């Protein structure tokens, strides 16, 4: 399986072929609680790293999801419309949000690896 | 800067149970436990849930003619409140705004002396009790009971679960109150709550609260629930949260809380803000609190603008979220009166997009109070 990288906004990124799959981490889904709705970006939208491009709604609150890398949205997880709870049950597999075709692949190198993210989570806890 | 948060007597128990502690009204309170808001909410509607509401303000108004004194500050009929009965009431300003909502019970002392038992919102308790204390004639005393904890056991199995451990509770009707014991510990127990379900609120000495809470959690069907579930339960029940749905700018007329104003008080108009309420009852308020059901699955949150289908703003959401039992997004808010009829098609602006919704009757989930 391709290497997974992490952002400080608690998204994970997995580069697979020409596009990167993006979702939120297990830590993030635990903090959010039961997800009831997801607002996904439009296909073809061009986003820059750090830009809010999706919203995840739990019972309690709405939270932004940011593009961890710049590029074009080429796919969104339509299964989340019917089953937003996939984000809680399978955050890093079936609960993926969208795929980005990177415009600046070097940004990928600036993200944290798994150990780096783990110590980041520790440091902000 | 770190704000120093107060803790309730159950703080250690909350942490032991895995509660996620958040700041609320100056207290560290559990917003949820590991089960999560959805499961805690559904458990309360199915069985019985234990909530810590010890952050709320408790006080006793002791002495002769406390009811008459309190009626100077509230439009509720306090004089007509029979012994061992509780009532929902508003504290109103001279301008007719709602300074707080609270519970008042007629609870004579064990010696038979006059006593009213009050429970007010956590965020307003200092202001409320200062206001009440300042209005009292000589001979009446307001005793704040910061030494007491307050637990809510809510759900269809709540009363059956404690019946054999709390003499007199099973016989209470809705809004009945009794001074009794629970697991041998002195307790003031009212058959009331803020979830729309049958259940009780239990006032007891803070130093015994943890042991009683542990005993309650051992009962069949009882599970802990946090403030998150409490909020989604009260929203489904169509109940107002002070600071969100009612505040010093909203009136009882606008909020649809005229029922909490005693009939006698509506003849005498002798309460703070009576003029505004009388005018609004005669000519209609400028806005009305309504329930809203957004189409689809997307929740609309507090402060979202409500507009007509033509895009004209006509109000604002004051509470909104996802109703676990309704299995749909639900909200309440204020709209201009011409848009307040059930079924009216409106839109809520969510992140710049118009979300279609309809005005809906409340409660969203029928109340199941004891008869």
């Amino acid at each position: 399986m391709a290497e997974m990288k992490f952002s400080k906004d608690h998204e994970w990124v997995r580069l697979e072929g020409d596009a990167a799959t993006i979702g939120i981490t297990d830590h993030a889904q635990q903090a959010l609680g039961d997800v009831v709705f997801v607002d996904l970006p439009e296909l073809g939208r061009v986003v820059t790293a750090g830009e809010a491009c999706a919203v995840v709604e739990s019972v309690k609150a709405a939270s932004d999801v940011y593009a961890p890398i710049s590029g074009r949205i080429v796919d969104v997880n339509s299964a989340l419309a019917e089953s937003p709870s996939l984000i809680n049950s399978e955050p890093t597999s079936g609960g993926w949000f969208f795929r980005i075709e990177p415009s600046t692949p070097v940004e990928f190198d600036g993200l944290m690896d798994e150990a780096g993210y783990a110590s980041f989570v520790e440091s902000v806890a | 800067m770190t704000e120093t948060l107060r803790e309730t007597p159950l703080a250690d128990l909350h942490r032991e149970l895995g509660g996620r502690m958040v700041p609320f009204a100056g207290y560290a309170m559990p917003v949820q436990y590991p089960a999560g808001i959805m499961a805690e909410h559904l458990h309360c509607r199915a069985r019985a849930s234990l909530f810590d509401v010890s952050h709320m303000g408790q006080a006793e108004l002791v002495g002769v003619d406390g009811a008459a004194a309190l009626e100077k500050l509230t439009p509720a009929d306090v004089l007509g409140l029979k012994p061992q009965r509780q009532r929902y009431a508003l504290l109103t300003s001279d301008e007719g705004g709602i300074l707080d909502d609270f519970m008042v019970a007629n609870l004579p002392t064990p010696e038979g002396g006059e006593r009213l038992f009050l429970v007010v919102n956590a965020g307003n308790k200092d202001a409320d009790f200062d206001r009440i204390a300042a209005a009292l004639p000589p001979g009446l005393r307001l005793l704040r009971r910061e030494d007491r904890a307050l637990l809510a056991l809510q759900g269809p199995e709540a009363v059956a679960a404690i019946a054999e451990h709390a003499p007199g509770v099973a016989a209470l009707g809705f809004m009945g109150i009794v001074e009794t014991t629970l697991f041998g510990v002195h307790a003031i127990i009212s058959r009331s709550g803020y979830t729309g379900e049958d259940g009780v609120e239990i006032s007891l000495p803070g130093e015994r609260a943890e042991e009683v809470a542990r005993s309650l959690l051992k009962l069949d069907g009882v599970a802990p629930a946090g403030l998150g579930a409490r909020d989604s339960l009260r929203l489904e029940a169509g109940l107002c949260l002070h600071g969100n749905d009612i505040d010093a700018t909203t009136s009882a007329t606008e909020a649809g809380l005229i029922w909490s104003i005693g009939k006698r008080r509506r003849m005498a108009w002798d309460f703070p803000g009576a003029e505004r309420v009388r005018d609004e009852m005669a000519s209609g308020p400028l806005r009305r609190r309504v329930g809203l059901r957004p189409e689809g699955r997307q929740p609309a949150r507090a402060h979202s603008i409500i507009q007509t289908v033509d895009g004209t703003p006509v109000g604002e959401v004051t509470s909104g979220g996802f109703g676990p039992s309704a299995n749909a997004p639900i909200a309440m808010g204020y709209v201009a009166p011409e848009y307040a009829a059930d079924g009216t098609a409106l839109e809520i602006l969510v992140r710049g997009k118009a979300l279609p919704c309809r005005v809906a009757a409340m409660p969203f989930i029928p109340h199941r109070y004891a008869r």
Side-chain angles (χ1 to χ4, degrees), chain A residues 16-74:
Chain A
E16 290 159 324
D18 295 339
T21 306
I22 286 143
I24 65 169
T25 64
D26 186 55
H27 171 80
Q29 71 81 15
Q30 281 188 36
L32 284 172
D34 303 304
V35 173
V36 295
F37 181 80
V38 188
D39 206 355
L40 293 167
E42 280 175 31
L43 284 179
R45 177 170 156 190
V46 174
V47 296
T48 53
E51 181 179 333
C53 61
V55 177
V56 56
E57 301 251 14
S58 69
V59 179
K60 191 88 186 120
S63 307
D64 284 316
V65 175
Y66 303 90
I69 54 173
S70 308
R72 195 165 58 90
I73 305 287
V74 292

Side-chain angles (χ1 to χ4, degrees), chain B residues 319-342:
Chain B
S319 284
F322 191 86
S325 302
N327 192 25
I330 50 172
M332 65 169 89
Y334 286 84
V335 296
E338 56 269 40
Y339 303 100
D342 287 349

Side-chain angles (χ1 to χ4, degrees), chain A residues 30-31 34 57-59, chain B residues 20 37-38 298 301 351 353:
Chain A
Q30 281 188 36
D34 303 304
E57 301 251 14
S58 69
V59 179
Chain B
R20 185 184 303 159
I37 294 174
M38 191 87 85
Q298 180 167 16
R301 308 288 177 179
R351 296 185 285 277
K353 279 183 267 182

Side-chain angles (χ1 to χ4, degrees), chain B residues 232-250:
Chain B
S232 55
L233 287 158
R234 70 92 198 161
L235 177 57
E236 283 187 342
L239 301 171
C240 292
L241 175 62
H242 191 270
N244 278 42
D245 310 302
I246 48 176
D247 59 29
T249 71
T250 54

